[in-house]
Amino acid sequence: MIRVRRVYDAPEPAADGVRVLVDRLWPRGLSKEAAAVDSWPRPVTPSAELRKWFHAGGSAGEFRRRYEAELAEPAAVAELERLRGLAAEGPVTLLTAVRDPASSHAAVLAELLGAGAG
């Protein structure tokens, strides 16, 4: 099972499983202890260039296309496989600081991880 949640929400130990931060930057104002992050795999986070492009007015569809292209890079592919392995063993929660995780890169990542897990 792969979940997507805000990193600022309180951890749910019984449901979260492995907590994976999928943002390129550490969440503002949050201590490492409070975040309770188990893994921070930067190869699967959107690049700084992609984030800047999107925040300057890029479209969601084009963002997804560019992000998926970044996830096709060898380091990202290896990390995706590692995350799929973790998900096969138990719950994995993808954490992001964005206000709407369901409409973010974390949701795209969760979808790709789920699609590759079968």
Side-chain angles (χ1 to χ4, degrees), residues 13-30:
D16 284 348
V18 178
R19 293 171 52 87
V20 180
L21 180 63
V22 295
D23 287 345
R24 178 71 51 155
L25 304 174
W26 187 261
R28 198 175 294 217
L30 190 64

Side-chain angles (χ1 to χ4, degrees), residues 4-75:
V4 175
R5 298 186 64 218
R6 289 196 79 214
V7 70
Y8 296 108
D9 295 339
E12 296 177 357
D16 284 348
V18 178
R19 293 171 52 87
V20 180
L21 180 63
V22 295
D23 287 345
R24 178 71 51 155
L25 304 174
W26 187 261
R28 198 175 294 217
L30 190 64
S31 71
K32 291 187 180 185
E33 294 76 26
V37 169
D38 298 308
S39 178
W40 188 12
R42 288 174 189 81
V44 298
T45 65
S47 68
E49 296 80 16
L50 182 55
R51 283 186 314 99
K52 289 175 186 173
W53 171 85
F54 183 69
H55 291 297
S59 72
E62 181 63 12
F63 173 87
R64 181 185 181 108
R65 187 191 70 71
R66 292 181 184 195
Y67 182 45
E68 288 177 350
E70 289 184 355
L71 292 173
E73 295 295 321

Side-chain angles (χ1 to χ4, degrees), residues 4 22-23 54 63-64 67 96 98-110:
V4 175
V22 295
D23 287 345
F54 183 69
F63 173 87
R64 181 185 181 108
Y67 182 45
T96 182
V98 300
R99 287 189 178 97
D100 183 11
S103 299
S104 72
H105 68 284
V108 172
L109 185 57

